[in-house]
Amino acid sequence: MTIPLSQSTDPQAKAALGRLNQLKQQLNLTPSASSKQTVNDMNKERQAAEFNIQALATFWAGGEKAYTMRQNAYNLIKNDPELVVQPPRNFLELERTEFREFTMGQVFRLAKIASELGPEQKDYAYEIGHAIGIYSESFSMRFGVHILLFKNVINMLSNDEQRNYWLPLVEEMRIIGCFAMTELGHSSALRGLETTATYDIDADEFVIDSPTVTSSKFWIGMAGQSATHTVVIAQTIINGKNKGLNWFVVQLRDVKTGELMPNVIAGDIGSKVGHQGLDNGWIQFRKTRIPRSQLLAKWVSLDRDGTFHHAPNPVMMYATLIPERLSLVNGMTLMTTQALTIASRYGVVRRQGAKNQQIMDYQSHYVKLVPAITFMYMIQASFETLDAQFAVLTGGGGIDDEMVYLNHMGDLHAISACLKGLVGWYCSDILETCRRSCGGHAYSAYNAIGHIMNDWGVFTTGGGDNVVLLQQTTKILRFRLEQQLEQDIYPDLKFKSSTHYILNAKSYLEKPSWSLDPEHLNDCLKDFSLITDALYSILVKRLYSIHQAIKEGATENDLLLESVKAGELHCAAFLFEDNAQRFGRVKPHTLDSSVVNIMHRLTGLWGLHVLHTYSDQGYKEGFFTPAHVTGIEKLYLKACKDLRYQIIGLTDAWAYPDFVLKAPIGKYDGDIYEAYFDTILQAPNSTGVPAYHDKYIKPLTERQAK
């Protein structure tokens, strides 16, 4: 359910309420002792929190102002039928065509609200959009394609004149943009892209062409039905020579009629596993002509006489992939925290077993959920560091210093790539854990976890395949390690790199094993540097082993899985060290002390989780003994148990209203069973004789016995 039917003024909703009450009278349903118990259980769990939940919620949101603004945004959208599906309709039952239209309606409504609020309330308009995106991942993707991908390419790769022309159109949504990178036969393997942009010197125009079926731009969000313009990456042909990949702005549709432009063919790719509200499409360019001025010319340029000026480095053309990955990680965090909230609330009110205990009390339950919740907090806190680093790369919006860009591009590529890979895979496991944690009720579409999992599927490949991204991270780490060990070279950066530990690579390689006695492993929860020392020692040793194997003749493919594991570990270690700096060594005085305390405990648990999960890597290098591995597991399980009664407080701090979660079994007050049954009773055709009775059932049941 979204909002209680009794609060709605919609005639359909009132009629639905009448039907619901009539059905309940016929069924003569009364609350059971179990229903009352669920509310009591939820209250006790909430009271068990050893920290100020409101203060943690404020921290999670990014401060008091951000928290208040988000709650105001939730309150604004929840009763708006153009933004939130109102009963008796259910968001989780929308058909594809209906979903496509509703999602575009959300975009339209947001644009109208933003216009009414005006530029002085730009932050609030953004927060309203963020709230809608949390409610609907399809909206998040649809709006994100325009405002993040399309806008970011123009913002980061245009010259001043181009930016001044295009950005006002984008920001006011007088044009609607998409991001035409992937192709049917090439996905994100950019070197093999087939779309061409050939310069016609006589006409002073580029001719954009899709010469083959496999060169069709494919999976392009917003291209199916709604985008008027796109940014296209294409092989650039000038005077018969390929000058590499560059970005161009191309108009797809007439802004007034919606009809496709001449020599552009595009369509919707149809039904997908998830994101049915997003019109992913395909595009073919049939010698489409655009002015030379629509080559994005921040780092490249083309003179009228055909003289082409290359970028200082080809990687500059891929700058927008970093914010894309970071935005994907943010989206994955929002989806996973919703599933975790639902599973956690169900886990503390559902009782089962010989002693009728809460299922959350089973070790198999809390040991899976507590580290997953912890992971979310590690990512969220570290986004402050990542945002600051990205600001260095972009100079606050426009990349103006070539050397700053080139010196920092590799580092940010490494951390954004492995973060997307680790989050994508671990959160896939978390979602499956949430599904299993809710038993059979997770199979109901009305409890939202299935919907989240369907929307999730794209994230393991969209924005770059996780295997490839993690391998790329490890290649960068190996390059930095080789430079440090053989030439004593490390780049001069304006921020603390995620690879900073490589500066001490020689000392890490000299350590034969973890100096911490297995009998005193508890010390590492008091002194986080003991965990950091172990993680960095293992990482350097593994990277060195891979590097040596390559030098001795092994191929990259021979060591692919080891490289992927090293990339994961690098990311996990970054999250630990970044949070250890905040909550383990330097007291952040601006935060509530109870928030600092719980974040310190979560950071310690994350460190143990990483040691436990990647203990095989330490064992391979002889850094961990069997006693270390056994001791780490024992301490890890204890730390999970110690946080068992903090679960509801931790998930409450994400501050999702019931209408956003959509799941009756995830209700804030714990009164799940009546809400669940009410939802079922409101389902279309949930009672009565089915329309197909006379056609298929009656002919069977009225037959005479032979």
Side-chain angles (χ1 to χ4, degrees):
M1 293 176 65
T2 49
I3 60 169
L5 287 171
S6 58
Q7 295 179 14
S8 178
T9 58
D10 182 75
Q12 280 187 305
K14 286 189 172 182
L17 177 62
R19 290 193 299 271
L20 176 62
N21 288 334
Q22 186 179 18
L23 277 171
K24 292 173 75 172
Q25 286 175 1
Q26 292 172 356
L27 294 167
N28 194 26
L29 296 174
T30 57
S32 66
S34 296
S35 295
K36 295 177 182 178
Q37 181 66 53
T38 61
V39 175
N40 291 335
D41 286 339
M42 186 65 78
N43 286 335
K44 289 180 180 177
E45 293 283 338
R46 207 157 267 135
Q47 291 165 8
E50 297 171 359
F51 54 90
N52 185 322
I53 297 175
Q54 181 60 51
L56 185 61
T58 300
F59 165 72
W60 174 268
E64 187 68 44
K65 181 181 177 182
Y67 175 82
T68 301
M69 203 178 291
R70 185 163 305 168
Q71 295 309 307
N72 288 341
Y74 283 143
N75 289 330
L76 176 74
I77 72 172
K78 72 178 180 181
N79 294 322
D80 189 325
E82 293 183 84
L83 297 176
V84 171
V85 175
Q86 306 292 313
R89 298 170 72 206
N90 192 306
F91 176 88
L92 298 168
E93 288 184 321
L94 294 179
E95 299 285 344
R96 172 163 58 100
T97 301
E98 186 181 19
F99 208 163
R100 294 276 210 276
E101 181 176 349
F102 180 76
T103 306
M104 192 62 217
Q106 290 176 308
V107 175
F108 171 78
R109 178 72 175 128
L110 175 62
K112 187 177 180 181
I113 290 172
S115 178
E116 291 170 351
L117 289 173
E120 65 277 3
Q121 296 192 67
K122 186 176 181 180
D123 289 347
Y124 185 39
Y126 169 82
E127 199 56 57
I128 293 169
H130 186 60
I132 302 168
I134 294 172
Y135 171 76
S136 171
E137 176 60 23
S138 282
F139 168 85
S140 179
M141 279 285 206
R142 200 161 187 166
F143 191 65
V145 164
H146 171 79
I147 209 67
L148 290 176
L149 295 180
F150 182 67
K151 180 183 174 181
N152 264 335
V153 171
I154 290 173
N155 190 40
M156 298 176 71
L157 298 180
S158 296
N159 60 28
D160 290 342
E161 182 180 355
Q162 290 171 327
R163 252 198 309 272
N164 290 336
Y165 175 78
W166 291 109
L167 287 182
L169 298 174
V170 176
E171 290 168 353
E172 296 170 17
M173 294 201 77
R174 285 186 282 146
I175 63 173
I176 299 172
C178 63
F179 179 79
M181 183 178 76
T182 54
E183 295 179 0
L184 178 60
H186 306 281
S187 189
S188 54
L190 301 187
R191 292 176 185 171
L193 295 182
E194 298 178 70
T195 300
T196 58
T198 303
Y199 183 54
D200 180 346
I201 192 168
D202 295 330
D204 195 22
E205 293 176 332
F206 277 100
V207 181
I208 313 296
D209 193 38
S210 307
T212 63
V213 171
T214 49
S215 67
S216 304
K217 294 296 181 180
F218 207 83
W219 285 113
I220 313 304
M222 299 277 272
Q225 299 173 342
S226 45
T228 64
H229 290 68
T230 187
V231 285
V232 179
I233 189 169
Q235 305 285 358
T236 308
I237 312 299
I238 299 173
N239 295 325
K241 295 181 180 180
N242 191 332
K243 300 296 183 178
L245 293 167
N246 290 283
W247 289 93
F248 304 82
V249 178
V250 182
Q251 185 169 354
L252 298 178
R253 293 179 173 89
D254 187 286
V255 295
K256 293 183 178 179
T257 68
E259 296 291 339
L260 290 168
M261 299 298 288
N263 302 316
V264 174
I265 305 175
D268 195 304
I269 66 170
S271 189
K272 309 180 292 286
V273 172
H275 288 106
Q276 295 287 34
L278 173 65
D279 54 324
N280 288 93
W282 54 270
I283 311 169
Q284 289 186 338
F285 301 101
R286 300 295 175 84
K287 301 190 182 306
T288 309
R289 289 183 171 269
I290 61 170
R292 174 168 54 97
S293 61
Q294 288 177 213
L295 162 68
L296 295 184
K298 176 68 178 179
W299 298 113
V300 301
S301 63
L302 177 64
D303 298 337
R304 179 65 182 87
D305 64 3
T307 302
F308 183 74
H309 303 275
H310 290 271
N313 191 306
V315 299
M316 289 179 163
M317 295 298 101
Y318 310 141
T320 56
L321 300 182
I322 291 175
E324 181 195 13
R325 291 187 197 119
L326 295 178
S327 68
L328 288 176
V329 170
N330 182 60
M332 289 189 282
T333 304
L334 293 172
M335 295 170 72
T336 308
T337 48
Q338 289 181 60
L340 281 166
T341 302
I342 296 166
S344 297
R345 289 178 179 173
Y346 181 74
V348 300
V349 301
R350 179 72 171 191
R351 288 178 172 269
Q352 198 165 313
K355 298 179 181 178
N356 197 34
Q357 62 264 50
Q358 294 166 282
I359 60 174
M360 187 63 78
D361 288 337
Y362 289 101
Q363 187 186 60
S364 57
H365 225 78
Y366 67 77
V367 166
K368 292 289 186 179
L369 292 176
V370 169
I373 293 167
T374 297
F375 185 44
M376 299 296 99
Y377 277 98
M378 297 298 100
I379 297 168
Q380 184 76 354
S382 289
F383 253 103
E384 180 182 343
T385 297
L386 295 169
D387 287 343
Q389 292 181 352
F390 187 65
V392 171
L393 178 69
T394 62
I399 306 167
D400 295 318
D401 188 322
E402 295 178 14
M403 291 310 300
V404 168
Y405 181 85
L406 291 172
N407 285 339
H408 293 78
M409 176 68 177
D411 193 85
L412 276 168
H413 170 63
I415 190 59
S416 66
C418 68
L419 185 66
K420 192 268 176 181
L422 179 65
V423 174
W425 277 344
Y426 185 26
C427 285
S428 295
D429 293 340
I430 292 170
L431 291 178
E432 176 60 19
T433 294
C434 290
R435 187 192 68 78
R436 292 198 304 267
S437 296
C438 295
H441 291 318
Y443 191 62
S444 168
Y446 299 119
N447 284 318
I449 289 178
H451 177 83
I452 293 171
M453 293 180 76
N454 285 345
D455 278 353
W456 178 268
V458 68
F459 287 109
T460 55
T461 46
D465 180 85
N466 290 349
V467 169
V468 175
L469 292 179
L470 288 161
Q471 184 185 32
Q472 287 176 355
T473 293
T474 300
K475 283 184 176 180
I476 293 170
L477 297 177
R478 282 168 36 205
F479 175 72
R480 291 268 172 95
L481 180 66
E482 181 180 19
Q483 282 191 315
Q484 179 64 32
L485 292 179
E486 298 180 9
Q487 303 174 55
D488 196 25
I489 293 175
Y490 187 83
D492 181 22
L493 301 173
K494 293 179 178 290
F495 53 67
K496 183 180 179 181
S497 165
S498 66
T499 68
H500 68 89
Y501 59 90
I502 290 177
L503 279 165
N504 301 313
K506 290 180 181 178
S507 64
Y508 286 127
L509 286 173
E510 290 170 358
K511 295 180 180 181
S513 62
W514 200 14
S515 59
L516 187 60
D517 190 308
E519 296 296 321
H520 298 98
L521 282 173
N522 197 59
D523 290 350
C524 68
L525 293 180
K526 303 171 187 175
D527 180 1
F528 287 163
S529 66
L530 295 171
I531 297 177
T532 299
D533 181 74
L535 294 178
Y536 287 162
S537 295
I538 295 167
L539 256 173
V540 169
K541 290 174 183 293
R542 291 303 299 138
L543 291 169
Y544 184 73
S545 293
I546 294 170
H547 177 66
Q548 288 299 106
I550 294 288
K551 288 180 68 174
E552 292 169 8
T555 66
E556 294 285 350
N557 193 48
D558 291 335
L559 298 165
L560 178 56
L561 294 180
E562 291 191 54
S563 294
V564 165
K565 186 75 77 171
E568 287 182 31
L569 180 54
H570 171 77
C571 181
F574 162 76
L575 291 173
F576 173 75
E577 174 61 12
D578 188 62
N579 283 282
Q581 290 289 336
R582 284 189 182 84
F583 306 111
R585 303 185 190 115
V586 181
K587 183 178 180 181
H589 298 287
T590 58
L591 293 179
D592 181 279
S593 60
S594 70
V595 171
V596 177
N597 181 60
I598 191 64
M599 288 301 298
H600 181 275
R601 293 173 67 185
L602 294 178
T603 302
L605 177 64
W606 178 248
L608 290 176
H609 176 82
V610 179
L611 290 174
H612 177 253
T613 303
Y614 298 94
S615 59
D616 63 322
Q617 301 298 290
Y619 190 74
K620 276 184 178 181
E621 296 295 337
F623 190 76
F624 284 161
T625 65
H628 279 130
V629 175
T630 302
I632 289 167
E633 181 177 55
K634 184 178 179 179
L635 184 58
Y636 174 61
L637 295 176
K638 181 182 182 301
C640 289
K641 188 174 183 178
D642 289 343
L643 286 163
R644 148 70 185 91
Y645 284 97
Q646 307 310 305
I647 287 175
I648 291 302
L650 289 169
T651 52
D652 274 359
W654 296 331
Y656 292 125
D658 285 352
F659 84 89
V660 167
L661 294 178
K662 307 175 190 71
I665 63 169
K667 280 197 67 182
Y668 177 85
D669 65 7
D671 190 8
I672 69 169
Y673 295 117
E674 185 174 352
Y676 192 4
F677 205 75
D678 282 356
T679 302
I680 301 303
L681 291 176
Q682 290 178 73
N685 306 313
S686 66
T687 60
V689 178
Y692 55 81
H693 177 272
D694 287 351
K695 186 175 182 180
Y696 294 123
I697 299 176
K698 184 179 177 181
L700 294 174
T701 58
E702 70 177 1
R703 288 178 301 170
Q704 298 295 318
K706 291 183 180 180

